[in-house]
Each structure stands twice: as structure tokens, then as C-alpha cells.
């Protein structure tokens, strides 16, 4: 088009058009670019400076500098290597094709011949591509610093996989690095190969004009052959490494290498790798002999043919006509590998199996010998308790209880199961008129205290029976004191604050007045001199306030990264953390957070993958317990599984970060517990891998699943949900210890509701971390949670009471059903709460107990025990208070006695008339509850009247 257009203003040969921008414009662009670069560098440097200060405040500067140096080294090494390899290859190609590729060309522009030199564009493009990929791989490899740290510091492992006989460390530490480097080299060689083809096509018109036997044509094929050599070698290494992931590939029935893969596919991939090396050798020969295209095609054809025959055709035939007709017989050894290695990967090989009779008799419960267990059965659901606490213990709207946790404490020599909730501050809930910088940054800086209540007691009003509550802290037992109730670091404390300032910090409300305090801890970063203040203000985006505040002095401190998750992920991001940190009160009265940390992998040989926290893993260990001081923010990592190879490698990498479990203070050690996250995934795995018989495993004849219960508040009540693991303070069957803190998970057969067994994770003393499984006899049907729920629903008295409560401006909330092993039997426990429609404050109103043959209930646990077991169910200990009698319909709670047989029809008619009149009177007076009771009595009288009339 341009060539065909006429030029109304022809340019003479002497005229030159300068299309370059003016010098002033060019300088302005360079200045802007330099300013942007300087801003980025300063911002990044400032971020590093603040991180150095923060790590130093925690005492982990060595951890930061190791990671920083490793990241910087990886970035620079792969940046420079990538740029050097690509630019060097491009330079060789440029020189090889220089005579043809860079020869000036003439093109027509506005009917004028213009000389065009490709060199002006190709050379800058080569630099752009080299730098771009250099930055990409520098950043990518820097992000993979954890893999390199494990590789450089890997611990020695002796276990070898059954297929390749490689040690476990090869898959956990070495293979990830080999894969990353292989992928990097494959990309670079592919780019170089594409570049050689580009130059080849670019110079094709020039070569056509020359002799076919010219040096130029031979050099072109030599360049392509050389690039192909590098590419085929990279593909060969990638193919060799691609064999190993078959060890953890999930199949429909089992995971790991199958019969076909072990005997045909994996050897074929090795042959493909050798064929690729042979193809590279042929390409290298072609590079020197310059034979042309035939030898290159042969170099490609050989590995492709080997791949099609060995990887596609043969394995497909073997799998279809040899394995499938006799699959169990062929796959048995590989199924055994999968069972053994999966159990090992999830810590199931050390499970202790015990038999549990689950008898139906009352005598099997052995109530008198299990009083400690009965007195600690948890009646408070954490959701219900959390809603109640938010109504009666927040005191002010800006306080919150993010979570409720279960733990055990000793009082006067007796261990009790309790529930704790930390009272944290949420500045987002401050009144709008109070939302200013001074309030949010200097005054409202911390939460205050906690609540602690017994897990099984409640007041006559249906409220928790507190051991610790209110502000200031009030304790109702001599077994616990709190000397540092302030919570500066927690689950909701996610804002930066300045402490030890001229402003007094709000501590807690007290009547019409407020109590104030000043931070006396060592946490956070000291503000220091004017330069540090300015740098901190810039880093914290607080330039408009911090530099000019008279309240913030050089001795003040700024507390940053106050969220528990932010602290631990900042210090040790290579660990996986539980979602449920819980608070512990130390012997000295200080508050600490305990958090479980895990090591995980998805490369464990012959282990099946399971979903944990959004990740697909096939190896997990609860190797670390993290302790965080709620006042100072100091953090300590204690190793509880020294046998974990991943943990051993991390300890070698960061020797100053981890401590032995024995170094944990005893008062904190007594509160460690088996993690719910761990037993949940172990239960899921054990449901399939509890059987070690390959035939039963293959045919899925004995698959278990976690027991289900109906959905609770906030869930679909018509859909069953897996039961969450729950903590119980109990005497384990077969143990001499009167009570210990265990985590229980019940099982049912897959797609059935009867119970088949239960798993217990132990938490106390030397038994910590041990896993027990109690198997039920298969000759009898043991009712599961859903079946017990159905029996509760079918109970006429309970159903009537629930219906009545749901019609009085309130609603019934049924708590989680707990299955508690006691003696040689099972006790099912379900709390029932009453919640007003207009108030989110549940009150515990009823306790329902069940055994295999009957259901009992009462306004307190003692009353429910008496109802279920008679005199044998009465506890000699102090009775537990229940809700007021006036709130429970006694008529609905007890079976109504039948009218005396001597009553005649006239008496029944008179009674029915009187009941109906009473019903009308109560309705007119607005006493709907009593009216409903009277109506139920009236219905029963009419039924009796019908029965007596029928007999006469």
C-alpha cells in the first residue's frame, strides 16, 4: 500500500528527516525511568530493613539472613546463567548466519527505495528475550528457595522405595531440584532451537540465490543440528526423571507403580531416554558432517518410534489383555506396597489395635468406676458457647471471641475439662466517632483476658458456670491465676499499634470509668531516633501521623505483624499450620498461644494423596508445637517428632530456630494435644487402609468412613455431616490411668450407619502422639450417631417438648452428639439449647443421654443419668445445676399417666370440658405455654374417652 501511494512532497537525496525525539524529551524519559527504578529499589530496601528489625526483635536474625542470602544467590545465579546461555547462543547464531541474516535489504517506502538492516532489530530483540527469561527464572528459582534449602541440607535416609531402590531423601530433597533444573534447561534449549529455525527461515531467500553446496547452507544445518543436540539431551534427562512420579500417581483402586508400569512402561521410558541420547549423537554428527536434513529427521524419528511402541502400544496391549483378565493376581505385590507405604506416610503403622465389646448392659458401663469420665463429659458446643459469650462477656461492642477451645486444667488435684475463649479487641467495631489515629494506634491496642468455664456445668439460667470471667479478671477457683491478661498478639489483632507512648492505653472498662495501662513488655520494634522514625513511618504507610506525633517517643515501640498466623508464616513459612490455635494459661499467670505445625509432602513413594487444607498431600507429620507469648509476641518452635526426615533437614538448615520438646516449660507441655487436623486426615486414610489384606483392599469389602450426624445450626439439617473429632477427658478402656485427654473419632462401615470402631489420639505425658483404634465385634449391630438421632426424634416426650419450644418465639438448637466410650459400653450424649428468635444467646436447657436400648433426658446431666439408669445413675459428687424448672414443660417431659380404669364416661366428659375451658382461659390471658400444655392434656383425655366408649 505504502509503495503504491504517491508522495505529494517528494524528498530529495540531500534531505534527511530526523525522526528521533529531541534530546530534552529523551533526557526526561531517562529521568522518569531512573526515578521509578530508584523508588522501587528504595521501597524494596525499606521492606528489607523493617524485616531485619522484626526478625531481630524475635531473636531470629540468623533465619532471616540465611533465607535472604539464599534467595539473592538463586536470583543472581539463574538471572546471569539464563542471560549468558541465551545471549551466548544468540550470538553464535548471529555470527553463523551473519552474511545472510544481517545483509541489508531494500524495501519500498512511499515509492522510494529504503535500505533496511535486520541487525538493528535482531540484536536488541536477542537482549530483550535473554533478559526477560533471565528475570523470569531468577524470580522463579528465588521463589523455590525452600526446595534448594532442603537439597543443600538434606538429612540421611535409609528407607528405599521397592521399584527404583532410591532412598526416601532422593524423592523429598533431590528430585524437586532435578525437576526444576531440568525444566529450566529444557526451556532454554527449546528457545535456542526456535531461534536457530528463525534464522534459518530468515536467511532462506538469500540461500536460494546461492549454490546448494555453499558453506552458508552447511553452516545453517550445523547450527540447527547443534541446537537440536542440546534440546534432545534436555528432553532425555526430563524423560529419565519422568519415571519417578509414577511412584505416587493415584489410580482408581490404589496408588503407585502398577504391574504394567513396572514391567513395561518404566523400562520403555528408559529406552526412550537412551533413544533421545542416540538422536542427539546423530545430530552432533550432522553438525560436523553437514549431511543436511535426512540425518536430522532420523535423529527425531528414532525416539518417536521407540516412544510410540514402548510407551503407547505395548503398555496398552499388556494392560488390556494380560492385566485386566487377572488384575488382582498381577497387582497384588503393588497393592501391598501401596498399603504399607501409605500407612507409613500417615503414621498409621504404629497404631495399637484393641477390641471393644460395646456391650448393651448397664453393668458394662461400670458407672461407679468411671465417675471421672462422667463428670467431664462436655455439654457445651463451642458454637453455642461462643454465641453466649458474645452476649454476656464481651462487655463492650469492640471486644470479640474469635474462637472457643477445649483443654484440661488441674484444680485442687483434680483434672477438669474446660473451655476457654480469648477476649480480643476489634478496632473495626469501635464507634464511628472514635475511629481516629490516636484511638486506633495508641489507645485501643490490646484485648483483655479470657473466659474459662467447665465443659459440663451450667447455671439454673442455662448459662456457663465460669471459673474465669469478667473484666477485671475474676477467678472462682484457687487453681488458676492470671497476672498478664493483656492480649497484644492474637487471632484478630491484625493492625499495627504504638505502645509505651505518652498516651495511656485502654485496658478494660469498669463501670462508668475506664482503666488504663502502659505496655511493659519487650515486643515489637523500638522507634528510636528521627531517621528510624521516618523510615518506619514510610514502611507502615504512616507518614502523615507518626513523624509529627508528640505522644510517640524514641522509647516507644511499634507492634507489627501481630496476627498469630502472620508471625509463624513470617518466621517459618515452610511449615504448614493448623487453623485452630488455642490459648493456655501458664503457671505464672501469663497467656500463651499454642499452635500445631506440620511437615507435608506430595512425593512420598507409593502413598495415596488426600486433601488437607486445600493441598493434595501423601505424607504428613505433626513435628512442631509453636508457642507464642500473647503479651510480647515472642515465638518458640519445639520439635516433637525428631524422626521426621523433613524436620531433621529443617533443623539442619535453621539450627537456631528449633528446640527439643524437652525444652518446653512443663506447665505448657501439659497442655499439648493431639491435633484435630492430623486425626481427621488419619481417619480418612485409615478408613480404607485399615485392612492389610490385598484381596479385601482391592475388592473394597471392608471400607470405613467417619461417622455422620445430622447438620447442626448453620448447616443443612436434612443432610448428614461427618462428625468433627472431639476431645474427651476419660479413662481409656484397658488403661490404669483414671483419666487422660484424648481426641476421639468414631467410624461406621461405608454407606451404613452402625458403628464399627473408634480412634483415639492420646495427648498426655509419654503417651502423647500415640494412636489407638478400638474395633467393635462384627457379630452384633452397634448403633451409630445417626441411628441414635433417629431414636431421639422418635421419642414422643422429647418430640413434644421440642415442638412446644419451637412455637414460643424461640427455637431449639441441638448440639453435637458425642459418643463416649465408658467401661465396656458406649454412652451417647446430646445437649439441647433454647435460643430466642430475637436473641443469638443459646441457653443449655436439656441433656439427652442414650445407650443402645433406651433414651434418657433431664434438665441436668445428673437428672438425665437418673432418668436413664435409675438410682445407679446418681453421682455422689456435687450436683450440677440445671435450668429453672419453670422453663421446662414437666407434662411433656414425662409420660402422662393413663386415666384410672374406674373413670366412667361422664367423668371423662366433665374433665375434657374443664380442660377445654382452661385452655380458652389461658389463651385469652396470653399464657401460650400453659395453654399448649393444657391442650395436650385435653387431647389425651379425648383419646381415653374414645377408648373407654369403645369398650362399652
Amino acid at each position: 500500500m505504502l509503495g503504491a501511494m504517491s508522495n505529494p512532497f517528494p524528498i530529495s537525496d540531500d534531505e534527511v528527516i530526523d525522526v528521533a525525539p529531541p534530546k530534552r524529551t529523551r533526557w526526561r524519559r531517562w529521568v522518569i525511568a531512573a526515578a521509578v527504578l530508584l523508588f522501587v529499589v528504595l521501597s524494596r530496601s525499606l521492606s528489607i530493613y523493617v524485616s531485619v528489625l522484626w526478625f531481630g526483635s524475635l531473636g531470629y536474625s540468623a533465619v532471616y539472613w540465611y533465607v535472604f542470602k539464599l534467595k539473592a544467590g538463586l536470583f543472581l545465579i539463574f538471572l546471569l546463567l539464563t542471560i549468558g546461555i541465551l545471549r551466548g547462543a544468540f550470538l553464535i547464531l548471529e555470527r553463523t548466519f551473519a552474511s545472510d541474516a544481517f545483509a541489508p535489504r531494500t524495501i519500498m517506502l512511499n515509492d522510494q527505495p529504503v535500505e533496511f538492516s535486520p541487525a538493528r532489530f535482531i540484536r536488541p530483540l536477542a537482549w530483550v528475550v535473554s533478559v526477560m527469561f533471565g528475570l523470569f527464572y531468577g524470580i522463579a528459582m528465588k521463589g523455590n528457595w525452600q526446595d534448594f534449602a532442603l537439597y543443600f541440607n538434606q538429612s540421611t535416609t535409609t528407607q528405599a522405595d521397592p521399584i527404583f531402590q532410591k532412598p526416601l531423601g532422593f524423592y523429598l530433597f533431590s528430585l524437586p531440584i532435578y525437576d526444576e533444573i531440568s525444566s529450566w534447561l529444557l526451556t532454554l534449549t527449546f528457545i535456542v532451537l526456535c531461534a536457530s529455525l528463525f534464522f534459518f527461515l530468515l536467511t532462506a531467500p538469500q540461500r536460494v540465490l546461492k549454490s546448494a553446496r555453499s558453506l552458508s547452507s552447511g553452516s545453517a544445518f550445523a547450527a540447527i543440528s547443534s541446537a537440536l543436540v542440546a534440546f534432545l539431551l534436555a528432553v532425555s534427562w526430563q524423560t529419565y526423571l519422568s519415571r519417578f512420579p509414577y511412584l505416587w500417581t493415584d489410580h482408581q483402586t490404589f496408588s503407585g507403580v502398577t504391574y504394567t508400569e513396572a514391567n513395561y512402561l518404566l523400562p520403555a521410558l528408559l529406552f526412550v531416554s537412551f533413544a533421545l541420547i542416540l538422536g542427539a549423537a546423530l545430530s552432533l554428527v550432522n553438525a560436523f558432517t553437514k549431511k543436511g536434513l535426512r540425518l536430522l529427521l532420523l535423529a527425531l524419528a528414532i525416539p518417536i518410534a521407540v516412544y510410540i511402541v514402548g510407551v503407547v502400544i505395548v503398555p496398552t496391549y499388556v494392560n488390556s489383555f494380560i492385566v485386566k483378565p487377572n488384575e488382582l493376581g498381577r497387582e497384588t505385590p503393588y497393592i501391598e506396597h501401596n498399603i504399607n507405604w501409605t500407612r507409613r506416610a500417615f503414621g498409621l503403622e504404629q497404631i495399637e489395635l484393641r477390641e471393644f465389646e460395646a456391650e448393651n448392659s448397664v453393668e458394662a458401663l461400670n458407672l461407679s468406676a468411671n465417675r471421672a469420665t462422667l463428670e467431664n463429659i462436655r455439654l457445651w458446643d463451642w458454637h453455642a458457647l461462643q454465641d453466649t459469650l458474645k452476649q454476656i462477656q464481651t462487655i463492650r461492642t469492640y471486644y470479640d471471641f474469635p474462637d472457643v477451645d477445649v483443654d484440661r486444667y488441674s484444680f485442687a488435684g483434680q483434672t477438669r475439662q474446660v473451655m476457654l475463649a480469648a477476649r480480643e479487641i476489634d478496632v473495626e467495631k469501635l464507634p464511628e466517632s472514635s475511629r481516629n489515629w490516636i484511638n486506633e494506634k495508641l489507645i485501643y491496642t490490646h484485648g483483655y483476658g479470657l473466659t474459662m468455664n467447665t465443659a459440663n456445668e451450667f447455671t439454673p439460667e442455662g448459662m456457663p458456670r465460669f471459673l474465669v470471667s469478667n473484666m477485671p479478671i475474676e477467678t472462682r477457683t484457687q487453681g488458676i491465676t492470671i497476672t498478664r491478661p493483656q492480649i497484644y498478639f492474637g487471632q484478630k489483632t491484625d493492625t499495627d499499634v504504638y505502645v509505651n507512648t505518652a498516651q495511656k492505653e485502654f485496658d478494660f472498662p469498669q463501670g462508668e470509668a475506664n482503666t488504663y495501662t502502659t505496655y511493659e513488655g519487650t515486643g515489637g520494634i523500638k522507634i528510636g531516633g528521627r531517621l528510624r522514625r521516618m523510615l518506619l513511618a514510610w514502611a507502615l504507610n504512616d507518614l502523615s501521623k507518626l513523624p509529627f506525633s508528640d505522644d510517640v517517643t524514641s522509647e516507644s515501640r511499634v507492634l507489627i505483624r501481630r496476627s498469630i498466623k502472620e508471625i509463624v508464616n513470617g518466621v517459618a513459612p515452610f511449615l504448614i499450620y493448623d487453623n485452630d490455635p488455642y490459648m493456655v494459661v501458664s503457671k505464672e499467670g501469663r497467656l500463651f498461644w499454642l499452635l500445631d505445625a506440620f511437615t507435608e509432602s506430595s512425593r512420598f513413594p507409593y502413598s495415596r494423596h488426600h486433601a488437607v487444607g486445600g493441598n493434595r498431600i501423601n505424607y504428613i507429620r505433626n513435628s512442631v508445637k509453636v508457642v507464642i507469648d500473647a503479651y510480647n509476641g515472642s515465638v518458640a518452635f519445639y520439635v516433637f517428632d525428631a524422626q521426621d526426615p523433613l524436620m531433621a533437614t529443617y533443623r539442619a538448615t535453621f539450627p537456631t530456630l528449633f528446640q527439643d520438646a524437652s525444652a518446653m516449660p512443663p506447665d505448657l507441655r501439659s497442655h499439648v494435644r493431639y491435633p484435630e487436623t492430623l486425626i481427621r486426615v488419619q481417619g480418612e486414610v485409615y478408613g480404607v487402609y485399615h485392612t492389610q489384606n490385598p484381596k479385601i483392599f482391592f475388592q473394597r469389602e471392608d471400607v470405613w468412613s467417619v461417622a455422620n450426624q445430622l447438620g447442626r445450626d448453620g448447616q443443612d439439617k436434612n443432610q448428614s455431616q461427618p462428625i468433627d473429632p472431639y476431645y474427651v477427658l476419660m479413662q481409656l478402656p484397658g488403661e490404669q490411668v483414671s483419666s487422660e485427654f484424648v481426641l476421639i473419632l468414631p467410624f461406621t462401615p461405608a454407606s451404613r450407619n452402625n458403628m464399627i470402631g473408634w480412634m483415639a489420639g492420646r495427648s498426655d505425658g509419654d503417651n502423647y502422639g500415640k494412636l489407638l483404634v478400638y474395633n467393635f465385634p462384627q457379630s452384633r449391630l452397634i448403633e451409630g450417631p445417626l441411628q441414635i438421632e433417629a431414636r431421639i426424634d422418635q421419642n414422643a416426650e422429647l418430640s413434644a417438648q421440642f415442638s412446644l419450644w419451637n412455637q414460643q418465639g424461640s427455637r431449639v438448637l441441638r448440639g453435637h452428639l458425642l459418643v463416649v466410650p465408658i467401661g465396656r459400653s458406649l454412652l451417647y450424649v446430646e445437649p439441647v439449647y433454647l435460643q430466642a428468635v430475637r436473641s443469638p444467646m443459646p441457653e443449655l436447657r436439656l441433656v439427652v443421654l442414650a445407650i443402645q436400648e433406651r433414651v434418657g433426658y433431664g434438665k441436668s446431666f445428673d437428672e438425665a443419668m437418673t432418668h436413664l439408669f435409675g438410682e445407679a445413675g446418681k453421682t455422689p459428687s456435687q450436683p450440677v445445676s440445671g435450668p429453672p424448672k419453670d422453663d421446662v414443660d414437666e407434662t411433656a417431659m414425662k409420660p402422662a399417666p393413663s386415666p384410672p380404669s374406674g373413670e366412667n364416661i361422664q367423668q371423662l366428659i366433665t374433665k375434657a370440658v374443664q380442660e377445654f375451658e382452661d385452655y380458652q382461659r389461658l389463651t385469652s390471658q396470653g399464657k401460650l405455654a400453659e395453654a399448649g400444655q393444657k391442650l395436650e392434656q385435653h387431647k389425651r383425655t379425648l383419646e381415653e374417652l374414645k377408648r373407654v366408649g369403645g369398650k362399652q
Side-chain angles (χ1 to χ4, degrees):
M1 281 296 289
L2 293 175
M5 293 176 60
S6 62
N7 186 1
F9 303 104
I11 301 174
S12 65
D13 295 340
D14 298 332
E15 292 180 285
V16 177
I17 298 178
D18 187 5
V19 296
K23 291 184 177 181
R24 182 176 300 176
T25 302
R26 291 200 300 269
W27 274 107
R28 186 179 302 165
R29 292 176 182 176
W30 279 108
V31 169
I32 293 175
V36 171
L37 180 61
L38 179 63
F39 178 80
V40 172
V41 171
L42 289 178
S43 298
R44 180 57 186 153
S45 300
L46 184 61
S47 175
I48 293 172
Y49 175 69
V50 173
S51 295
V52 170
L53 294 178
W54 184 70
F55 273 86
S57 70
L58 297 175
Y60 295 125
S61 295
V63 174
Y64 177 79
W65 285 118
Y66 177 88
V67 176
F68 178 82
K69 293 175 182 177
L70 181 58
K71 285 184 175 181
L74 291 172
F75 175 79
L76 291 175
I77 288 172
F78 282 94
L79 170 69
L80 297 177
L81 280 177
T82 303
I83 293 176
I85 292 173
L86 289 181
R87 192 62 191 96
F90 293 156
L91 183 61
I92 294 174
L93 292 175
E94 291 170 10
R95 293 181 176 179
T96 302
F97 293 90
S99 59
D100 294 328
F102 298 148
R105 320 284 173 88
T106 301
I107 62 174
M108 300 299 295
L109 182 64
N110 291 338
D111 291 333
Q112 298 292 325
V114 177
E115 285 194 353
F116 166 75
S117 176
R120 294 180 57 188
F121 300 95
I122 292 177
R123 289 191 177 115
L125 180 62
W127 276 110
V128 169
V129 172
S130 301
V131 173
M132 181 181 68
F133 278 95
L135 289 172
F136 174 79
Y137 274 105
I139 295 172
M141 293 301 184
K142 184 190 75 169
N144 294 330
W145 67 269
Q146 297 179 22
D147 293 336
F148 284 91
L150 290 174
Y151 177 78
F152 293 141
N153 301 279
Q154 58 182 283
S155 59
T156 303
T157 55
T158 57
Q159 286 182 332
D161 75 275
I163 301 299
F164 299 107
Q165 300 301 315
K166 296 280 188 180
L168 183 59
F170 172 79
Y171 303 103
L172 297 180
F173 309 128
S174 300
L175 186 59
I177 297 301
Y178 297 159
D179 284 338
E180 290 164 12
I181 294 179
S182 171
S183 176
W184 171 64
L185 291 176
L186 184 64
T187 303
L188 297 189
T189 55
F190 179 74
I191 293 172
V192 173
L193 179 62
C194 291
S196 66
L197 293 174
F198 169 76
F199 277 106
F200 181 81
L201 295 176
L202 183 66
T203 59
Q206 280 70 26
R207 289 197 311 275
V208 169
L209 300 176
K210 299 180 180 182
S211 171
R213 298 180 179 273
S214 67
L215 179 63
S216 176
S217 178
S219 299
F221 278 109
I224 294 175
S225 299
S226 300
L228 186 61
V229 169
F231 179 71
L232 290 178
L233 290 176
V235 175
S236 175
W237 191 28
Q238 185 88 302
T239 303
Y240 175 81
L241 295 177
S242 70
R243 301 176 306 139
F244 299 112
Y246 284 94
L247 280 172
W248 50 81
T249 301
D250 293 331
H251 305 285
Q252 182 177 2
T253 306
F254 67 99
S255 299
V257 173
T258 64
Y259 172 86
T260 303
E261 292 167 351
N263 293 280
Y264 297 93
L265 181 60
L266 296 181
L269 285 174
L270 191 60
F271 282 122
V272 172
S273 181
F274 292 148
L276 287 165
I277 295 176
L278 177 60
L282 293 175
S283 297
L284 184 63
V285 170
N286 190 66
F288 286 100
T289 61
K290 303 173 185 177
K291 294 291 185 181
L293 191 59
R294 292 183 180 179
L295 205 55
L296 290 182
L297 293 177
L298 181 61
L300 294 174
I302 292 175
I304 292 175
V306 174
Y307 180 87
I308 292 174
V309 175
V311 178
V312 179
I313 297 177
V314 173
T316 302
Y317 172 82
V318 171
N319 191 58
S320 300
F321 298 103
I322 298 178
V323 175
K324 289 297 182 182
N326 187 28
E327 188 169 7
L328 179 58
R330 298 287 185 180
E331 303 289 12
T332 292
Y334 306 99
I335 293 175
E336 290 177 344
H337 294 327
N338 176 223
I339 294 174
N340 295 332
W341 283 77
T342 299
R343 290 172 61 89
R344 185 178 302 147
F346 289 94
L348 303 181
E349 79 279 14
Q350 301 297 329
I351 284 181
E352 182 180 350
L353 298 178
R354 297 182 181 180
E355 299 299 321
F356 189 80
E357 292 301 322
E359 299 177 11
N360 295 335
S361 64
V362 176
E363 293 76 15
L365 291 166
N366 197 5
L367 298 177
S368 60
N370 288 280
R371 290 298 177 188
T373 301
L374 295 171
E375 292 169 3
N376 283 284
I377 290 178
R378 179 166 59 86
L379 301 180
W380 280 101
D381 268 9
W382 76 269
H383 285 102
L385 180 59
Q386 184 183 40
D387 290 340
T388 300
L389 293 178
K390 288 182 177 181
Q391 295 299 311
I392 65 176
Q393 280 293 311
T394 51
I395 313 298
R396 293 288 189 270
T397 58
Y398 40 79
Y399 286 116
D400 195 11
F401 292 95
D403 194 14
V404 177
D405 294 296
V406 182
D407 205 347
R408 69 285 196 199
Y409 283 79
S410 295
F411 307 108
Q414 183 181 11
T415 303
R416 296 298 303 271
Q417 186 170 212
V418 300
M419 305 187 74
L420 301 92
R423 186 186 293 106
E424 298 192 44
I425 197 166
D426 186 356
V427 294
E428 297 293 331
K429 295 182 179 179
L430 284 172
E432 196 62 34
S433 59
S434 301
R435 298 293 302 276
N436 56 65
W437 186 82
I438 291 179
N439 280 338
E440 294 182 4
K441 298 293 185 180
L442 307 182
I443 296 178
Y444 293 93
T445 58
H446 59 273
Y448 185 88
L450 52 78
T451 65
M452 179 188 294
N453 61 282
T454 54
N456 70 322
E457 293 181 305
F458 53 104
T459 67
E461 295 76 24
M463 296 290 102
R465 185 174 293 280
F466 289 109
L467 300 174
V468 179
S469 62
N470 296 335
M471 294 187 288
I473 291 290
E474 296 178 4
T475 59
R476 296 172 178 82
T477 176
Q478 297 181 352
I480 190 169
T481 57
I482 298 179
T483 58
R484 278 291 185 195
Q486 294 82 11
I487 302 175
Y488 285 90
F489 300 85
Q491 299 184 72
K492 291 187 74 72
T493 50
D494 53 0
T495 59
D496 304 327
V497 296
Y498 304 99
V499 295
N500 193 25
T501 65
Q503 281 281 354
K504 292 290 186 179
E505 301 170 44
F506 173 77
D507 203 21
F508 59 87
Q510 195 168 18
E512 297 297 327
N514 292 329
T515 301
Y516 293 86
T517 186
T518 299
Y519 184 72
E520 299 175 352
T522 58
I525 300 171
K526 193 174 181 180
I527 296 297
R530 184 170 298 276
L531 177 59
R532 178 183 283 196
R533 177 190 289 246
M534 290 297 298
L535 293 175
L536 288 173
W538 184 5
L540 302 176
N541 196 24
D542 203 7
L543 282 170
S544 63
K545 297 292 191 299
L546 178 58
F548 312 105
S549 174
D550 295 331
D551 293 325
V552 181
T553 69
S554 60
E555 296 300 317
S556 300
R557 292 177 172 272
V558 57
L559 306 183
I560 63 174
R561 304 178 187 178
R562 297 197 296 151
S563 168
I564 293 172
K565 285 298 186 68
E566 197 171 5
I567 293 172
V568 295
N569 282 316
V571 176
F574 43 84
L575 297 176
I576 308 299
Y577 297 96
D578 193 81
N579 290 321
D580 187 25
Y582 58 101
M583 180 160 279
V584 171
V585 182
S586 72
K587 185 177 180 180
E588 292 79 16
R590 298 178 65 91
L591 303 181
F592 292 88
W593 293 100
L594 261 65
L595 180 63
D596 287 287
F598 307 91
T599 56
E600 298 176 353
S601 177
S602 60
R603 293 170 172 261
F604 199 86
Y606 262 115
S607 178
R608 193 166 189 84
H609 292 84
H610 289 77
V612 179
N615 298 323
R616 297 285 296 177
I617 65 167
N618 65 354
Y619 174 87
I620 186 172
R621 288 292 185 271
N622 175 218
S623 298
V624 177
K625 304 287 184 180
V626 187
V627 177
I628 302 171
D629 190 323
Y631 191 76
N632 284 324
S634 59
V635 56
F637 296 80
Y638 298 98
V639 177
F640 273 69
D641 188 352
Q643 304 303 315
D644 175 21
L646 284 171
M647 191 66 253
T649 300
Y650 284 131
R651 292 195 75 174
T653 307
F654 305 103
T656 62
L657 180 61
F658 298 101
Q659 305 178 53
D660 291 330
S662 58
M664 179 182 282
D667 56 334
L668 299 181
R669 175 70 182 267
S670 63
H671 291 283
V672 299
R673 64 188 192 184
Y674 204 97
E676 293 182 48
T677 298
L678 182 60
I679 201 171
R680 189 177 284 113
V681 66
Q682 287 178 322
E684 180 183 348
V685 176
Y686 190 77
V688 177
Y689 288 88
H690 66 92
T691 176
Q692 300 184 55
N693 185 305
K695 180 179 180 181
I696 297 176
F697 178 92
F698 179 79
Q699 296 175 345
R700 292 294 194 266
E701 296 178 2
D702 188 21
V703 177
W704 296 3
S705 61
V706 175
N708 289 331
Q709 67 175 359
L710 293 178
R712 290 312 190 243
D713 189 37
Q715 299 174 327
D716 187 350
K717 294 180 172 57
N718 295 319
Q719 295 292 328
S720 60
Q721 306 285 341
I723 287 181
D724 288 328
Y726 50 92
Y727 293 100
V728 178
L729 190 62
M730 61 175 291
Q731 181 177 7
L732 284 170
E735 295 291 328
Q736 300 300 319
V737 180
S738 60
S739 63
E740 59 178 294
F741 199 60
V742 298
L743 184 60
I744 285 181
L745 190 64
F747 291 102
T748 63
S751 303
R752 296 174 61 187
N753 295 327
N754 60 289
M755 281 188 63
I756 194 67
W758 56 282
M759 177 181 286
R762 308 177 75 171
S763 301
D764 293 340
D766 295 335
N767 290 320
Y768 171 77
K770 294 181 179 179
L771 210 54
L772 302 176
V773 170
Y774 290 84
N775 295 315
F776 292 173
Q778 299 186 6
S779 58
R780 288 188 293 108
L781 184 69
I782 311 299
E783 291 187 330
L786 282 178
Q787 294 168 319
I788 296 296
E789 296 259 25
R791 289 179 51 194
I792 294 174
D793 292 336
Q794 294 165 4
N795 185 280
E797 292 77 28
L798 287 173
S799 179
Q801 182 66 66
F802 294 161
S803 299
L804 182 62
W805 275 342
N806 281 323
Q807 296 173 2
Q808 297 179 357
S810 59
R811 59 173 181 155
V812 173
L813 301 179
R814 292 170 62 175
H816 290 276
L817 182 71
L818 304 183
V819 184
V820 184
I822 298 180
R824 304 185 309 278
S825 187
L826 298 173
L827 180 66
Y828 304 84
V829 183
E830 181 175 281
V832 179
Y833 310 90
L834 188 63
Q835 183 181 43
V837 173
R838 297 182 179 180
S839 174
M841 183 171 66
E843 299 174 359
L844 209 164
R845 289 303 186 191
L846 200 64
V847 179
V848 181
L849 304 178
I851 55 177
Q852 292 292 309
E853 297 178 346
R854 56 178 182 260
V855 174
Y857 45 83
K859 298 181 294 297
S860 68
F861 185 80
D862 285 350
E863 185 174 320
M865 288 287 291
T866 303
H867 189 194
L868 184 62
F869 300 112
E871 293 297 322
K874 293 184 177 180
T875 59
S877 59
Q878 181 179 356
V880 179
S881 299
K885 294 183 179 181
D886 294 339
D887 291 344
V888 181
D889 180 9
E890 298 286 354
T891 305
M893 292 305 299
K894 298 179 181 179
S898 301
S901 58
E903 285 186 314
N904 56 31
I905 294 179
Q906 186 59 44
Q907 290 173 320
L908 291 173
I909 292 175
T910 302
K911 183 178 180 182
V913 171
Q914 182 62 45
E915 290 172 342
F916 186 72
E917 291 176 352
D918 292 341
Y919 166 74
Q920 290 180 316
R921 175 178 55 81
L922 292 170
T923 302
S924 64
Q925 295 174 355
K927 299 180 179 180
L928 300 181
E930 298 178 21
Q933 299 172 16
K934 190 60 67 176
L935 183 61
E936 292 294 327
Q937 295 176 6
H938 180 63
K939 291 179 180 179
R940 286 191 286 268
T941 302
L942 292 178
E943 292 175 358
E944 181 64 17
L945 180 62
K946 181 179 180 180
R947 184 182 65 81
V948 174
K951 289 183 178 180
Q952 296 182 358

